[in-house]
Amino acid sequence: MPGREPIGIIFTAGLLFLFWIVLSGYFDWIHITMGLISSLIIAYIFPIITIEKKNGDILRLGSFMLYLIPYVIRLQFEIIKANIDVIRIILDPALPISPAVRKFRTGLKSDGALATFGNSMTLTPGTLTIDINQGGESYIHYLTTPDADQQKATEISNAVQRLFEGRGLWRRS
């Protein structure tokens, strides 16, 4: 079964377990055992690292992670930038808000990519994704009227597109 090779599951479980240890902060045997079991189950159900062999060559090993790291960095940058903008608005005595709902069309096709885009926009302060349809059309509420090009939405959409184009399993056929 593609994507369920034992070595891929082990690598995925190892990454998830390492992430769990970093975030949990508990190092007793009960928590470590539960973290290991959870990581193995999740790795089996949702293999992040896949190994595809063709004529003995490994074609892909963890490509999703290679695309995920720049995406997370980009998202963090957008969140920090949006936080600074919202702080400036709050501290301004005139409170310069101009709420607006704008339609934004993405080139995203898969449900996972659309959900990631919507959640990413909602995570950035000052924006809230109201609705997304299957065609990639979304409605976003802004705290202040965005520029005509909706630069923030465009940048996040492009980052999500790069993330999901690098992973064939996530594309809808």
Side-chain angles (χ1 to χ4, degrees), residues 96-158:
I97 63 170
S98 52
V101 174
R102 293 287 172 88
K103 181 168 54 172
F104 181 77
R105 188 156 193 73
T106 69
L108 305 171
K109 301 292 182 220
S110 74
D111 293 340
L114 291 169
T116 301
F117 169 74
N119 289 330
S120 298
M121 285 301 295
T122 299
L123 277 173
T124 57
T127 56
L128 174 68
T129 305
I130 298 171
D131 187 30
I132 299 177
N133 62 29
Q134 290 294 325
E137 193 174 78
S138 61
Y139 293 89
I140 302 168
H141 179 274
Y142 291 90
L143 183 61
T144 58
T145 304
D147 56 1
D149 297 333
Q150 297 185 53
Q151 183 178 356
K152 183 191 329 186
T154 302
E155 290 175 1
I156 291 176
S157 175
N158 290 341

Side-chain angles (χ1 to χ4, degrees), residues 44-118:
Y44 181 76
I45 296 171
F46 304 107
I48 295 171
I49 296 177
T50 60
I51 300 173
E52 295 177 7
K53 295 182 180 179
K54 184 177 183 181
N55 298 330
D57 297 329
I58 295 177
L59 298 177
R60 181 177 34 187
L61 172 61
S63 65
F64 185 72
M65 288 306 218
L66 295 175
Y67 293 98
L68 183 63
I69 293 168
Y71 167 74
V72 169
I73 291 169
R74 180 63 185 187
L75 181 61
Q76 289 299 319
F77 174 74
E78 291 296 328
I79 290 171
I80 291 168
K81 194 167 69 169
N83 272 302
I84 292 168
D85 291 342
V86 170
I87 289 169
R88 284 184 186 154
I89 291 168
I90 292 170
L91 295 178
D92 189 330
L95 196 64
I97 63 170
S98 52
V101 174
R102 293 287 172 88
K103 181 168 54 172
F104 181 77
R105 188 156 193 73
T106 69
L108 305 171
K109 301 292 182 220
S110 74
D111 293 340
L114 291 169
T116 301
F117 169 74

